[in-house]
């Protein structure tokens, strides 16, 4: 996920953001709001406005130290706002990120280039992914 460029220049049909429990936002995607989340660990959604009806559409799903990760993407013009959810650890983060990645249409509908990576050391006791049968395909 290092230095990932989230706008690959292709046209995508993004899905509408669906509010859910625990997800905070929308926050304006600016340096000062990003800095508020410096050391918090969790998952985040980058959103933009639909040209059609101005509703929030999800363009990217990610996880990590929220402030640090959001800083990497800060110059991405397609993102206007972000939402985030803090989680206890990397395994919870992976499960949440997978769920969101699938919910918002995987690589087909997001600027993400790859499926969320499994954390190192996550054992096989955990499900392979939120979506049953997912083997990490785009
Ligand atoms: Zn998956």
């Amino acid at each position: 996920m290092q230095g990932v460029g989230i706008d690959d220049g292709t046209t995508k049909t993004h899905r509408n953001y669906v509010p859910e429990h625990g997800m905070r936002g929308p926050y304006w995607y600016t340096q000062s709001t990003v800095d508020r989340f410096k050391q918090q660990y969790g998952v985040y959604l980058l959103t933009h406005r639909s040209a059609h009806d101005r509703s929030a559409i999800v363009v990217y799903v990610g996880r990590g130290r929220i402030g640090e990760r959001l800083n990497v993407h800060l110059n991405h013009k397609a993102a206007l706002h972000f939402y985030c959810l803090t989680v206890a650890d990397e395994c919870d983060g992976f499960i949440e990120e997978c769920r969101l990645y699938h919910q918002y249409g995987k690589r087909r509908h997001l600027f993400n280039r790859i499926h969320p990576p499994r954390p190192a050391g996550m054992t096989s006791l955990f499900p392979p992914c939120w979506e049953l049968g997912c083997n990490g395909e785009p």
Side-chain angles (χ1 to χ4, degrees):
M1 291 292 285
Q2 202 173 19
V4 60
I6 62 174
D7 187 348
D8 61 5
T10 58
T11 304
K12 307 260 184 187
T13 310
H14 302 294
R15 293 184 174 169
N16 279 87
Y17 172 71
V18 181
E20 57 182 285
H21 185 72
M23 185 72 79
R24 290 180 288 164
Y27 297 102
W28 286 103
Y29 195 14
T30 62
Q31 189 73 62
S32 60
T33 47
V34 165
D35 285 347
R36 286 197 229 160
F37 297 94
K38 242 173 202 157
Q39 291 305 314
Q40 297 187 38
Y41 185 84
V43 295
Y44 56 90
L45 301 172
L46 301 185
T47 64
H48 200 59
R49 293 253 172 250
S50 160
H52 170 61
D53 61 5
R54 312 298 292 158
S55 56
I57 52 172
V58 179
V59 300
Y60 190 85
V61 173
R63 83 165 188 270
R65 295 215 178 278
I66 295 168
E68 284 175 21
R69 295 300 307 157
L70 287 173
N71 252 321
V72 172
H73 302 307
L74 196 58
N75 293 321
H76 183 56
K77 292 181 180 60
L80 195 62
H81 294 112
F82 67 91
Y83 294 79
C84 59
L85 172 72
T86 51
V87 297
D89 56 38
E90 276 196 306
C91 292
D92 283 355
F94 172 69
I95 291 166
E96 272 302 306
E97 189 192 15
C98 278
R99 184 177 67 78
L100 294 165
Y101 179 77
H102 284 273
Q103 178 174 329
Y104 291 107
K106 307 199 264 186
R107 197 167 68 181
R108 185 152 181 226
H109 298 275
L110 293 165
F111 287 130
N112 294 67
R113 288 181 175 160
I114 55 167
H115 189 281
R118 169 179 289 266
M122 189 171 175
T123 74
S124 57
L125 293 174
F126 289 90
C129 185
W130 172 82
E131 185 178 273
L132 200 64
C134 173
N135 59 7
E137 83 283 7

